[in-house]
């Protein structure tokens, strides 16, 4: 005897998932253009990428706020997104001031944190403390 399981509906990405994915891709683009910047004169690409990354960080904050349910749900995702926007602001300032000794490691940290946030958002599980 065979049992059939109902077909699962394809999962469409949420606004938060799309925002985090865009942010992660923008940071990855920044890493690639940083390599071009060091090898050649790719300052324009890196500068445009910085604006896109900063805009993606603001979009992540907006998505987190819109997904947050006031009056009962955890505000932790909004705090994560806001913290990331603070890191992005520091990254922009450090880039303008040309402090690569802090700018580069902060970029690596931001990419790692963004990948972790994307993985958490795509898995559909809340963080351990959010449950």
């Amino acid at each position: 005897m065979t049992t059939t399981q109902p077909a699962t509906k394809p999962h469409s990405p949420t606004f938060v998932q799309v925002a985090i994915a865009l942010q992660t891709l923008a940071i990855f683009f920044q890493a690639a253009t940083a390599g071009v910047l060091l090898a050649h004169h790719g300052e324009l690409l890196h500068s445009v990428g910085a604006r896109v990354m900063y805009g993606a960080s603001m979009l992540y904050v907006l998505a987190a706020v819109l997904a947050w349910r006031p009056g009962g749900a955890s505000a932790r995702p909004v705090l994560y997104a806001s913290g990331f926007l603070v890191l992005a602001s520091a990254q922009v300032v450090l880039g303008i001031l040309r402090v690569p000794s802090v700018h580069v490691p902060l970029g690596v940290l931001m990419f790692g944190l963004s990948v972790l946030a994307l993985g958490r958002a795509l898995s559909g599980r809340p963080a351990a403390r959010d449950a």
Side-chain angles (χ1 to χ4, degrees):
M1 185 162 142
T2 320
T3 60
T4 59
Q5 294 187 6
T8 58
K9 182 180 175 183
H11 175 21
S12 60
T14 65
F15 185 36
V16 172
Q17 291 171 335
V18 170
I20 296 172
L22 178 63
Q23 173 182 277
T24 304
L25 287 173
I27 295 171
F28 184 75
F29 178 79
Q30 282 303 93
T33 60
V36 172
L37 181 64
L38 294 174
H40 305 292
H41 297 286
E43 192 168 340
L44 179 62
L45 272 179
H46 197 66
S47 177
V48 169
R51 288 171 175 81
V52 171
M53 184 275 302
Y54 197 75
S57 296
M58 286 191 274
L59 184 68
Y60 178 27
V61 171
L62 176 66
V65 168
L66 291 175
W68 175 48
R69 294 183 210 142
S74 173
R76 193 171 305 271
V78 176
L79 294 174
Y80 290 158
S82 299
F84 205 95
L85 185 59
V86 169
L87 290 176
S89 299
Q91 185 71 333
V92 169
V93 170
L94 290 167
I96 290 170
L97 295 176
R98 301 194 189 284
V99 185
S101 61
V102 182
H103 182 76
V104 172
L106 182 58
V108 172
L109 174 68
M110 289 172 61
F111 181 70
L113 290 174
S114 192
V115 168
L116 286 173
L118 180 60
R120 180 180 298 151
L122 292 177
S123 73
R125 313 177 288 173
R129 292 185 180 172
D130 291 345

